Amino acid sequence: MGRLTNKINATRVTDVENDVVRLEYSATGGGEVSGHQVTDIATHQSVRLADGTETATVKIVVHAVQGGDLLVLTGSASGVMRGGTVRFEGVLHARSTSGKFRDLNGTSVLAVGEMVDNKTVKHVWRRFPG
């Protein structure tokens, strides 16, 4: 259904308590969703534990390059950090009421994301069930 590559523009520590670190990432990028070239803006809010596990909530706004139609994805994922890479798996919920992405409105999307060295995130999405 879609692939995006995002560059992390800002990382912010929002809280530290014992072995729990709360982080917020802002990212921009682009790719392809449902056959359309897109750009996107994303915010990831993560809880990272000392054992390397991490959970995240994400909000992504996708813009079609041609026509500017919007798709909004929100959801959560979890993963484990190994070296400088975190591989997340989770579910996103799609919202779009008009334009190129209206057929995705209300669908659930299986998401796999890989964050490398807190610099880039590669997303791969497919419809659920897919």
Side-chain angles (χ1 to χ4, degrees), residues 44 46 53-58 74-82 85-92 109-115 121-126:
H44 301 248
S46 293
T53 58
E54 189 164 340
T55 58
T57 59
V58 63
T74 58
S76 61
S78 60
V80 177
M81 177 171 271
R82 288 192 169 66
T85 301
V86 180
R87 179 182 166 87
F88 290 101
E89 295 183 5
V91 176
L92 302 176
V109 177
L110 295 176
V112 175
E114 189 170 273
M115 181 187 301
V121 182
K122 293 186 178 187
H123 300 270
V124 177
W125 303 330
R126 62 185 172 97

Side-chain angles (χ1 to χ4, degrees), residues 29-59:
E32 178 268 323
V33 174
S34 292
H36 305 287
Q37 291 299 310
V38 299
T39 60
D40 76 286
I41 301 168
T43 301
H44 301 248
Q45 294 176 326
S46 293
V47 175
R48 188 176 289 174
L49 302 177
D51 67 1
T53 58
E54 189 164 340
T55 58
T57 59
V58 63
K59 298 172 186 158

Side-chain angles (χ1 to χ4, degrees), residues 2 4-6 11-12 19 29-30 45 50 52 60 67 70 72 77 83 100 102 107 114 117:
L4 295 176
T5 299
N6 284 354
T11 303
R12 185 170 75 104
D19 66 344
Q45 294 176 326
I60 302 171
L70 292 176
V72 175
K100 295 174 177 22
R102 70 180 161 266
T107 62
E114 189 170 273
D117 294 328

